[in-house]
Amino acid sequence: MPIPGYDPDDLDDALEAVVDADELEDALTDDQWEAYQHDDAALVDVLDEAEIERLLDQRSESIE
């Protein structure tokens, strides 16, 4: 679902820049991962807000 004022592709690019593929694969179900890998779904389509925040928080903690 598009968020007013945000381009889903930009959000996906930002998430991909801070979260590596292994973290994404672990966070997604097999069906979600397949859809994402085949460009059938964007990360903002398969991840809910809480999961996005968890991934970003986890990543920022590992950087510190």
Side-chain angles (χ1 to χ4, degrees):
M1 176 174 110
I3 300 168
Y6 293 95
D7 181 348
D9 290 335
D10 291 343
L11 292 172
D12 269 5
D13 292 343
L15 283 170
E16 290 171 348
V18 296
V19 179
D20 65 31
D22 290 336
E23 290 171 311
L24 287 176
E25 187 172 6
D26 290 343
L28 301 175
T29 66
D30 290 340
D31 290 338
Q32 290 171 326
W33 180 247
E34 282 293 316
Y36 171 68
Q37 287 295 304
H38 291 91
D39 292 326
D40 294 332
L43 289 176
V44 295
D45 296 328
V46 296
L47 294 172
D48 62 25
E49 182 180 345
E51 189 64 23
I52 291 170
E53 287 179 12
R54 186 192 68 75
L55 285 168
L56 294 176
D57 287 344
Q58 176 183 348
R59 186 62 173 177
S60 67
E61 288 172 4
S62 70
I63 292 172
E64 294 172 354

